[in-house]
Amino acid sequence: MTPIERSEPGRGTHASTQVQPMFHRVLSARPITVRDTLQDIRRRFHREVSDDTLGRLELVLAEVMNNVAEHAPEAAAGPEGDARLPVIHLCIVRHANGLACALTDDGVSLPEECVLPRSLPALVMDDLPEGGFGWFLIQDLTQALCYYRESQRNYLAFSIPFAQTEEA
Amino acid sequence: MQFIVEDVETHLAIKVTEPRIDAAIATPFKDKLREIVLKSRKPVHLDMASVDFMDSSGLGAMIAVRKSLPKNLGMVLCALTPNVERVFRLTRMDSVFDIRPLTAQKELRE
């Protein structure tokens, strides 16, 4: 945590309006489009944000957006189904302590257990789990994760903290 | 889907050339790799140095391939990049796979 310095009101205002890199994109929930978007995000932030933080951001966003794609309504699966794929709105802003992310989509409602605290799937050596890791990773790597659904859209917001050496 | 496969005496050395093992390719990746490892009856060493990114669907593909190997044959993962290593570590799958750094020989080549 970086302590907030007490300073003259004028200076405080100046600091909070400092220009920070951000990223905004509207995309179809399709794995290949998600992949392109993640690579664009990396290019957008690579000068200001460490590889470690970018790696955590990329993993969380891949899990969230591919979940939307994976759970798209059945009707969207046809060859000409693009128009009915869920549409994701993504916004990332760099803050003093990390990257604040907000996503909305018009896919299916998120089951409550996704955002409730969860642990890893049971590790049974003879029958290893092949899935169920996504939401564990999202919860493990994010801070202030919150979710709500309104007017047929999911809203998800969270923050990816910087590594301790990186705080600006 | 490209894999560079080399049958050395003690094991099958496979270099993964895909830079990303993600939801876009997890299923064909799994099918193709499983086909390769099942053909030979040898332990498998996967060179992961070229893989910059892997998500949970990529991890699921790796687990599925490992599960398809007979119990007496091991699966060694070599040269994980930091982003890939993170996924194995956070999901505790680093205790299931045999994870090793690059061999000295390969380091010289780099």
Side-chain angles (χ1 to χ4, degrees), chain A:
Chain A
M1 287 288 163
T2 311
I4 297 161
E5 264 181 57
R6 292 254 170 211
S7 59
E8 299 156 41
R11 287 181 60 190
T13 309
H14 177 74
S16 65
T17 54
Q18 215 178 339
V19 177
Q20 294 280 10
M22 61 180 289
F23 181 94
H24 181 252
R25 175 82 42 104
V26 178
L27 64 141
S28 296
R30 190 191 297 110
I32 199 72
T33 312
V34 168
R35 176 191 273 203
D36 292 343
T37 302
L38 292 173
Q39 287 173 313
D40 289 344
I41 291 168
R42 185 166 278 280
R43 279 189 281 274
R44 181 77 186 87
F45 289 103
H46 76 101
R47 275 183 226 94
E48 292 92 357
V49 179
S50 74
D51 279 349
D52 181 80
T53 304
L54 273 184
R56 286 179 281 124
L57 173 76
E58 188 170 8
L59 180 55
V60 169
L61 291 176
E63 298 299 338
V64 172
M65 295 195 286
N66 283 322
N67 269 329
V68 179
E70 190 185 339
H71 299 288
E74 288 288 318
E80 301 298 321
D82 275 18
R84 291 156 81 180
L85 282 176
V87 174
I88 301 170
H89 294 236
L90 164 67
C91 186
I92 309 163
V93 185
R94 187 187 190 278
H95 281 234
N97 299 316
L99 297 161
C101 305
L103 295 105
T104 83
D105 68 82
D106 56 358
V108 298
S109 180
L110 201 62
E112 200 182 35
E113 64 259 30
C114 293
V115 278
L116 291 175
R118 63 195 280 134
S119 46
L120 280 169
L123 218 170
V124 184
M125 289 309 280
D126 283 340
D127 188 21
L128 292 170
E130 290 171 36
F133 301 110
W135 275 99
F136 170 81
L137 290 170
I138 294 166
Q139 292 191 5
D140 197 58
L141 294 170
T142 58
Q143 287 180 350
L145 180 68
C146 61
Y147 167 75
Y148 64 94
R149 186 171 174 91
E150 197 177 276
S151 317
Q152 308 299 310
R153 292 194 75 84
N154 298 306
Y155 293 79
L156 193 68
F158 51 82
S159 171
I160 305 288
F162 287 142
Q164 277 178 349
T165 50
E166 196 183 355
E167 291 185 10

Side-chain angles (χ1 to χ4, degrees), chain B residues 42-91:
Chain B
K42 287 184 176 182
V44 175
H45 288 207
L46 275 188
D47 178 350
M48 302 281 286
S50 301
V51 184
D52 297 324
F53 179 77
M54 182 182 80
D55 63 16
S56 69
S57 54
L59 176 71
M62 301 288 286
I63 295 168
V65 172
R66 191 199 172 281
K67 281 167 74 174
S68 70
L69 279 172
K71 277 211 176 73
N72 57 329
L73 296 183
M75 186 159 158
V76 179
L77 304 181
C78 307
L80 299 188
T81 59
N83 283 336
V84 175
E85 185 274 335
R86 175 187 293 116
V87 178
F88 281 99
R89 176 168 39 87
L90 294 179
T91 57

